[in-house]
């Protein structure tokens, strides 16, 4: 980690009760979105959450952003428990940038009011200070000053995401949860937003929790990577180690499927066999075993523990046959 711990999750699970039961005796259904996840995020660090759709990435991001209460487990902020006073401080320190810049901005508000809204809600600045802060931030994210008096519908998708980033920066946070911030944008614009996020990180010493399904993007920005599968962390490693020597079969399959210019795609890398099981009925043992080419009898009955790979203290994987 780069510095002191900002936020930590210890054994966090998030379950959603989908109902059932009642007069006809139907079993209640529980969607297990996140299961026993432990992670830390440090000052100045970028931690990526990667995995297929339905792996629990956004749910975990919402937990860190204060939008989702865990079913079980504990949270820490700046080394202390997340009581009411800690959450009050954390809501300034932790901000979010969402996937869709078209729905994340109020179409009835001018950009100046959108950017200044967190300061207004938190009551931390006068009207003049809010106007000055909005003007400062609109320049920092690469938009002209006259953008302040315009409305979201007057901007492109990339420009709207810049506005959303400026709004997240308004309270001067230490951590930004970025939930698929590039996926709704044209490929030509994605690199511009990625470069902006990198510049802001270096200039402001920001930490990011960067949620993405795109490993090629992750490789350009992050320090560490947590690979999620069916709500579990199956691998956690520094970026360089994970890309060079992936330990979990799921990580290996994800990386093998990343296109590389000038290289042939690895055999069997077109897709991972089968589909992710339903979080309503996760498989016993290792949840990846129905799709894993290395699965053996023990994988069907015993859940593996996330622990260091052989000879790699900083790289952990939840696999009975980790490499």
């Amino acid at each position: 980690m780069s510095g002191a711990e900002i936020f930590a999750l210890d054994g966090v699970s998030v379950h959603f009760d989908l109902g059932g039961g009642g007069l006809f005796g139907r079993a209640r259904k529980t969607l297990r979105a996140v299961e026993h996840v432990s992670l830390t995020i440090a000052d100045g660090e970028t931690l990526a959450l990667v995995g297929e759709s339905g792996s629990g990435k956004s749910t975990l991001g919402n937990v860190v952003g204060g939008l989702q209460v865990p079913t079980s487990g504990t949270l820490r902020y700046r080394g202390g428990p997340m009581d009411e006073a800690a959450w009050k401080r954390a809501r300034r320190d932790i901000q979010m940038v969402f996937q869709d810049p078209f729905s994340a901005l109020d179409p009835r508000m001018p950009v100046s009011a959108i950017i200044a809204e967190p300061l207004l809600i938190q009551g931390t600045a006068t009207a003049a200070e809010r106007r000055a802060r909005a003007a400062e931030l609109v320049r920092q994210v690469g938009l002209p000053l006259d953008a302040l008096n315009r409305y979201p519908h007057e901007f492109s998708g990339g420009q709207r995401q810049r506005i959303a980033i400026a709004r997240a920066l308004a309270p001067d946070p230490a951590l930004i949860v970025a939930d698929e911030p590039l996926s709704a944008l044209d490929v030509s614009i994605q690199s511009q937003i990625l470069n902006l996020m990198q510049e802001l990180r270096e200039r402001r010493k920001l930490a990011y929790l960067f949620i993405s399904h795109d490993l090629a993007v992750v490789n350009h920005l992050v320090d560490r990577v947590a690979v999620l599968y069916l709500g579990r962390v199956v691998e956690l490693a520094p970026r360089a180690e994970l890309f060079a020597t992936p330990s979990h079969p799921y990580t290996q399959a994800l990386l093998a499927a990343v296109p590389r210019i000038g290289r042939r795609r690895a055999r069997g890398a077109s897709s991972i066999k089968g589909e992710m099981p339903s979080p309503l009925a996760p498989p016993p043992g290792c949840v990846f075993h129905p799709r894993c080419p290395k699965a053996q009898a023990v994988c069907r009955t015993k859940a593996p523990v996330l622990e260091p790979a052989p000879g790699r203290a900083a790289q952990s994987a939840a696999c009975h046959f980790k490499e």
Side-chain angles (χ1 to χ4, degrees), residues 173-191:
L175 169 64
I176 289 180
V177 179
D179 188 358
E180 297 273 12
L182 309 179
S183 62
L185 306 178
D186 292 340
V187 173
S188 60
I189 304 299
Q190 289 182 1
S191 61

Side-chain angles (χ1 to χ4, degrees), residues 80-124:
M82 290 299 296
D83 55 20
E84 186 176 344
W87 266 123
K88 189 173 181 180
R89 296 191 301 272
R91 290 190 195 285
R92 265 182 222 171
D93 221 10
I94 303 171
Q95 296 294 308
M96 296 192 70
V97 174
F98 298 97
Q99 176 177 354
D100 184 5
F102 295 92
S103 60
L105 306 177
D106 190 332
R108 300 164 298 178
M109 296 172 64
V111 168
S112 58
I114 289 172
I115 296 174
E117 187 176 25
L119 302 178
L120 177 64
I121 292 171
Q122 294 168 5
T124 56

